[in-house]
Amino acid sequence: MHVAMIGTGYVGLVSGVCFADFGHHVVCVDKDAAKIAALKRGEMPIYEPGLADLVAANARAGRLTFTTDLKGPVAEAEAVFIAVGTPSRRGDGHADLSFVYDAAREIAAALSGFTVVITKSTVPVGTGDEVERILRQVRPDADVAVVSNPEFLREGAAIQDFKHPDRIVVGTDDERGRDVMNELYRPLYLNQAPIIVTSRRTAELIKYAANAFLATKITFINEIAELAERVGADVQHVARGIGLDNRIGGKFLHAGPGFGGSCFPKDTVALAKTAQDYDAPLRLVETTITVNNARKRAMARKVASALGGEVRGRTISVLGLTFKPNTDDMREAPSIPLITALQDMGAKVRAYDPAGMAQAKAVLADVTYCENPYVCAENADVLVLVTEWEEFRALDFDRLKMTMARPVVVDLRNVYRPDEMARRGFDYVSVGRPKTTTS
Ligand SMILES: NC(=O)c1ccc[n+]([C@@H]2O[C@H](COP(=O)([O-])OP(=O)(O)OC[C@H]3O[C@@H](n4cnc5c(N)ncnc54)[C@H](O)[C@@H]3O)[C@@H](O)[C@H]2O)c1
């Protein structure tokens, strides 16, 4: 099948290359000429494990190409995906759909023969109706079905997630649209991935409901962590104790500095706005947003208190900047409010991240970026572990102790054990667990 993927970001590029790997012919389109030129040279615009090899293999096989011009690929395609960004709209937090609607207008002008136009971007309920209206307005003669097919992949494990999804959601009432979607995903349902076929509006709501639920689950355990600290309990054990209950499940029960990333923050806000507009407010989701924002800010106070409240002139070493490991994505990363708040308090910040420093430089000024964790820790009054990259899981604490000004660690991901850190001679603060000191 011929596929045009409009938007070649995290979702478009990963989906495009995976569809090509299934044997479809895919053209990835993007307005960003530098991104397309880099992809043609075999350079990946994002950090995602396994992506470069998969792109190279499918490009070599002639199933995957890149262009800035959507006309030819759309005219040839039976399936056209919209995978452009849907960021928060400035001012009111609604999803900014201008990229989606611009793409729809461009697609409309290029349509030829029966085509299924599929929204993969995360879009509020009713967006598919508007995309269809635009297509029919620009091209009353077009033979088109508009389908919702939200994407659930996680950055850092995107290829695995795309190829082994928990489920595939297809929103359409159009029989021909459904047949094309079945054909596209045939390799996956041969692997028994469940396909949920439902109405377009239901599919759109499923995506937001899933993200809002996960964000709420994280926020719930973060609040329990806060309580655990006050009452002298251990949130890790609480999480295990409740997570082993099948009705609850153990995933997304890791206490930390608050959720960030390219999806949860904007999607929870957009869902809450939609719900208000329809006079069915989602109080739980609204509270999740408020609690999470406050938590991200509170992390700087946690670091300050590990320093005895004296931050001015202190050197703070931050390990991990991206919103989670195995990505270079800095969107809404908890490291951003943490570092800026510490700088506001007068701290000098040194930082190291395995993949995110190029992106971080665009959003965080006056930070000394270092080449490894040990250089980062030089003369530090406190080491703050913000993102749990694998390479931070077995740090050489003897070496760190020699290079740091003071042996103080704030571990916002509970990577280490409090008793172990005390044994190694560190004052150690983590999340939702007892604090340990050497004195
Ligand atoms: N990143 C994730 O983990 C993830 C997961 C699931 C769903 N989503 C959703 O998928 C969508 C895309 O997210 P992303 O992270 O891939 O975004 P992104 O910002 O990485 O990529 C979007 C791309 O679309 C391009 N673009 C915009 N308008 C265009 C046009 N008219 N024609 C061609 N290209 C155009 C941009 O240049 C950019 O490269 C969003 O709605 C997001 O919420 C993201």
Side-chain angles (χ1 to χ4, degrees):
M1 187 171 291
H2 286 267
V3 176
M5 186 67 65
I6 314 302
T8 307
Y10 284 84
V11 165
L13 181 54
V14 171
S15 311
V17 70
C18 288
F19 279 130
D21 212 43
F22 295 164
H24 301 303
H25 284 84
V26 180
V27 184
C28 282
V29 182
D30 205 286
K31 276 193 161 342
D32 183 338
K35 191 178 268 190
I36 293 300
L39 281 162
K40 284 183 171 171
R41 290 193 301 271
E43 295 163 19
M44 295 305 104
I46 53 171
Y47 175 88
E48 182 62 45
L51 186 62
D53 288 347
L54 203 63
V55 168
N58 283 283
R60 247 192 334 266
R63 291 191 298 264
L64 180 66
T65 52
F66 301 98
T67 180
T68 52
D69 187 5
L70 65 61
K71 285 191 220 76
V74 167
E76 206 182 357
E78 290 118 295
V80 177
F81 281 90
I82 299 178
V84 301
T86 49
S88 264
R89 191 163 68 188
R90 266 178 189 280
D92 65 3
H94 271 291
D96 177 352
L97 296 172
S98 56
F99 299 106
V100 173
Y101 296 150
D102 286 353
R105 273 184 281 274
E106 289 176 59
I107 291 165
L111 288 171
S112 165
F114 175 63
T115 313
V116 182
V117 175
I118 306 136
T119 313
K120 205 168 235 333
S121 301
T122 302
V123 292
V125 174
T127 304
D129 301 355
E130 181 62 13
V131 167
E132 181 160 359
R133 195 195 62 74
I134 290 171
L135 296 176
R136 298 206 186 284
Q137 183 188 40
V138 177
R139 283 289 299 280
D141 61 313
D143 187 11
V144 73
V146 177
V147 174
S148 165
N149 172 222
E151 182 51 55
F152 299 95
L153 62 78
R154 294 163 302 168
E155 289 176 22
I159 293 166
Q160 165 73 16
D161 281 356
F162 193 90
K163 290 192 165 184
H164 303 276
D166 292 337
R167 76 307 205 185
I168 299 155
V169 173
V170 171
T172 182
D173 299 327
D174 186 296
E175 210 169 303
R176 289 184 302 167
R178 198 182 55 219
D179 291 346
V180 166
M181 297 307 287
N182 279 339
E183 188 61 28
L184 273 169
Y185 281 107
R186 182 191 301 280
L188 290 186
Y189 70 74
L190 290 178
N191 282 350
Q192 323 251 295
I195 298 198
I196 296 171
V197 182
T198 182
S199 73
R200 200 160 60 196
R201 284 180 164 240
T202 305
E204 289 168 339
L205 188 55
I206 287 172
K207 173 65 189 175
Y208 278 100
N211 276 1
F213 190 88
L214 293 172
T216 303
K217 201 172 174 191
I218 294 173
T219 305
F220 175 81
I221 201 68
N222 283 340
E223 286 206 306
I224 294 290
E226 205 59 38
L227 178 61
E229 284 176 26
R230 308 288 161 90
V231 301
D234 184 331
V235 74
Q236 302 277 103
H237 293 186
V238 176
R240 192 165 151 71
I242 63 174
L244 284 171
D245 184 329
N246 284 333
R247 294 167 301 177
I248 296 174
K251 291 186 178 158
F252 280 74
L253 282 182
H254 299 287
F259 62 77
S262 60
C263 293
F264 287 178
K266 75 172 176 66
D267 292 347
T268 45
V269 173
L271 178 62
K273 291 286 170 194
T274 301
Q276 284 163 12
D277 287 354
Y278 283 88
D279 200 17
L282 295 173
R283 301 287 185 225
L284 268 181
V285 179
E286 289 170 6
T287 304
T288 291
I289 296 162
T290 309
V291 170
N292 191 62
N293 287 339
R295 180 161 186 84
K296 284 192 187 172
R297 282 195 301 276
M299 291 302 105
R301 292 198 294 278
K302 194 176 180 81
V303 174
S305 107
L307 285 168
E310 286 171 40
V311 177
R312 186 157 300 282
R314 301 280 188 210
T315 299
I316 294 173
S317 158
V318 174
L319 295 188
L321 296 168
T322 51
F323 83 94
K324 67 170 174 177
N326 293 324
T327 181
D328 59 352
D329 201 334
M330 283 295 295
R331 287 178 278 186
E332 303 286 335
S335 64
I336 300 170
L338 172 74
I339 289 175
T340 47
L342 291 170
Q343 288 174 328
D344 288 345
M345 294 178 202
K348 288 179 280 191
V349 177
R350 299 166 69 77
Y352 167 71
D353 188 280
M357 291 198 287
Q359 302 283 346
K361 283 174 189 169
V363 283
L364 286 166
D366 297 324
V367 171
T368 306
Y369 291 96
C370 305
E371 68 211 35
N372 66 48
Y374 303 98
V375 174
C376 184
E378 276 170 17
N379 295 319
D381 293 290
V382 58
L383 184 88
V384 188
L385 206 160
V386 183
T387 314
E388 69 282 29
W389 284 87
E390 282 294 327
E391 70 171 88
F392 302 150
R393 289 185 181 273
L395 291 169
D396 180 344
F397 280 98
D398 294 336
R399 192 171 160 196
L400 284 172
K401 205 172 172 190
M402 280 196 296
T403 197
M404 291 176 70
R406 293 202 280 170
V408 183
V409 169
V410 176
D411 176 359
L412 298 181
R413 300 290 182 174
N414 291 349
V415 170
Y416 290 98
R417 289 175 44 159
D419 54 348
E420 175 79 5
M421 293 302 289
R423 200 178 55 72
R424 288 174 181 277
F426 280 83
D427 284 355
Y428 178 72
V429 177
S430 55
V431 176
R433 299 188 300 178
K435 180 179 168 186
T436 50
T437 55
T438 49
S439 49

